[in-house]
Amino acid sequence: MDYRVTDSCIYINDLRLYAYHGVLPQERRVGGEFLVTLRVHYNITRALETDNVDDTVNYAELCHLIEREMVLPSQLLEHVAGRIAHTVFHAYPKTTAVDIKLTKINPPMGANCAGAGVELHLINDKTK
């Protein structure tokens, strides 16, 4: 190879899920729609050469990881996003960083907006 990968990531864009997160008891009882965007920074150089899914982060598996965490009710989206990131780092120890955006599509706050949520950028200190 006569080039070098300086950064690479696998991503899931706007995964739409129904879940039961929120501070209000009704939010955790009735639920609502959420969008999750996840970027997993991972060196994909080997996958460029081998064409083998075992040499990268499998985005289908990422979807399952997100779904498993989203099914567990929480009050704070920060907590949910942190759990998702922790699960990704645990499942893929060579992950260098995770960017996650978690949006509640129709937050019960009386505002006319497309959603509200949280974004995190987390670095895996074990890979630095």
Side-chain angles (χ1 to χ4, degrees):
M1 219 176 4
D2 53 345
Y3 54 87
R4 182 170 60 94
V5 175
T6 60
D7 190 26
S8 53
C9 66
I10 305 298
Y11 69 92
I12 305 296
N13 193 42
D14 287 341
L15 178 63
R16 187 177 293 265
L17 299 162
Y18 200 88
Y20 299 86
H21 307 303
V23 173
L24 301 175
Q26 181 177 347
E27 293 178 280
R28 290 188 309 279
R29 188 172 48 254
V30 175
E33 288 188 283
F34 295 83
L35 294 175
V36 180
T37 294
L38 179 70
R39 293 174 61 86
V40 176
H41 296 262
Y42 191 89
N43 187 336
I44 64 170
T45 302
R46 184 147 171 78
L48 295 174
E49 298 170 357
T50 66
D51 195 29
N52 186 333
V53 73
D54 293 332
D55 293 328
T56 190
V57 174
N58 183 327
Y59 54 78
E61 288 180 11
L62 286 178
C63 284
H64 293 301
L65 293 175
I66 294 167
E67 290 167 350
R68 279 201 319 258
E69 292 304 325
M70 286 294 290
V71 104
L72 304 171
S74 291
Q75 291 187 62
L76 299 179
L77 297 183
E78 293 87 340
H79 184 71
V80 180
R83 283 198 329 254
I84 292 169
H86 175 78
T87 301
V88 170
F89 284 133
H90 182 41
Y92 298 97
K94 292 181 181 178
T95 296
T96 57
V98 168
D99 299 314
I100 183 166
K101 179 179 176 183
L102 176 53
T103 304
K104 183 180 290 192
I105 293 177
N106 189 17
M109 58 185 194
N112 184 11
C113 67
V118 62
E119 287 188 50
L120 300 175
H121 174 74
L122 303 164
I123 296 172
N124 186 355
D125 289 332
K126 293 178 183 175
T127 61
K128 298 294 176 194

